[in-house]
Amino acid sequence: MASPVIEPVARLIEAFARLPGIGPKTAQRLTFHILRAPDAEARTLAAALIAVRDQVVFCTQCFNISDADLCPLCRDPGRDQRRLCVVEEPLDVLALERTAEFKGLYHVLHGAISPIDGVGPDRLRIRELLARADAAKRDGAPFEEIIMATNPTLEGEATAMYLAERLGSVVGSVTRIARGIPVGGDLEYADEITLIRALQGRRAV
């Protein structure tokens, strides 16, 4: 029996469905939105997709997304050069920057250590991080603090511990972001691990 969906439309639906968080129904809605959209809007979207692939690269120092060898944060002389925050993904940099609290530099690992998934240290940007810390120490300006801001998952915790062991001798201190009850959350709905972390991370009022 012939398919009611013509081939170009089917291909676009399939392409959308391969994106993370996009199911078949959402893929269909996005496709038909583009079909109904003005020609200029569809072409702008297509041009933006091509530009992302052609113009965006990874920063050679921190491995965040960039449009040049060094990203805007690494090029900024106003950033605190003695503090480094280690994150799993470029999206984590955006989240931390929205707080306007951290003024140092970043290092993006592009994942977390996960033996079950076959992701070892050699699959991440860990070698570059260790080399960066060693170079800073050799230059007489070691990092005063490296903050482990990996996700509070088993993989994120394992990655933070692995890095802390290897960085402890070349930096002033290695710290871990706090974990606990989110603002507006209720204790009764928190899981045991979150409550344990919240109790362990308590501080004076």
Side-chain angles (χ1 to χ4, degrees):
M1 191 170 82
S3 170
V5 181
I6 60 175
E7 194 265 344
V9 174
R11 275 196 294 128
L12 185 55
I13 291 172
E14 184 181 336
F16 276 129
R18 285 198 293 268
L19 297 175
I22 304 294
K25 289 187 181 299
T26 301
Q28 290 174 4
R29 284 196 294 271
L30 290 171
T31 298
F32 281 93
H33 168 77
I34 288 173
L35 286 172
R36 289 191 299 269
D39 184 68
E41 183 179 324
R43 293 186 182 280
T44 298
L45 174 61
L49 288 170
I50 293 170
V52 162
R53 296 302 301 167
D54 291 347
Q55 299 172 21
V56 176
V57 296
F58 290 122
C59 174
T60 57
Q61 179 167 279
C62 76
F63 301 97
N64 189 19
I65 55 174
S66 178
D67 58 354
D69 283 345
L70 292 180
C71 71
L73 297 177
C74 287
R75 295 196 301 261
D76 185 355
R79 306 290 298 196
D80 184 350
Q81 305 292 311
R82 306 297 292 276
R83 281 180 170 75
L84 186 69
C85 184
V86 178
V87 298
E88 293 183 21
E89 302 292 348
L91 279 174
D92 301 330
V93 174
L94 295 179
L96 288 167
E97 282 298 292
R98 281 198 300 269
T99 70
E101 180 69 21
F102 181 68
K103 305 297 184 184
L105 302 173
Y106 292 92
H107 190 92
V108 184
L109 298 174
H110 290 276
I113 296 172
S114 178
I116 293 176
D117 298 319
V119 180
D122 57 313
R123 295 273 300 274
L124 307 175
R125 295 294 185 174
I126 288 177
R127 186 184 302 109
E128 292 86 349
L129 171 61
L130 300 178
R132 193 174 174 187
D134 286 336
K137 185 178 181 181
R138 278 198 312 273
D139 293 343
F143 290 111
E144 292 178 2
E145 180 186 18
I146 292 186
I147 303 167
M148 294 297 151
T150 52
N151 292 325
T153 60
L154 288 174
E155 294 80 10
E157 295 289 349
T159 304
M161 290 176 62
Y162 177 89
L163 293 175
E165 289 176 3
R166 282 151 183 79
L167 290 167
S169 61
V170 295
V171 301
S173 67
V174 179
T175 59
R176 183 82 168 100
I177 57 170
R179 295 140 295 177
I181 308 299
V183 174
D186 293 326
L187 286 179
E188 63 180 298
Y189 299 119
D191 62 89
E192 289 82 357
I193 299 298
T194 299
L195 287 172
I196 289 170
R197 298 298 189 194
L199 288 168
Q200 290 174 341
R202 65 189 184 278
R203 57 186 175 83
V205 178

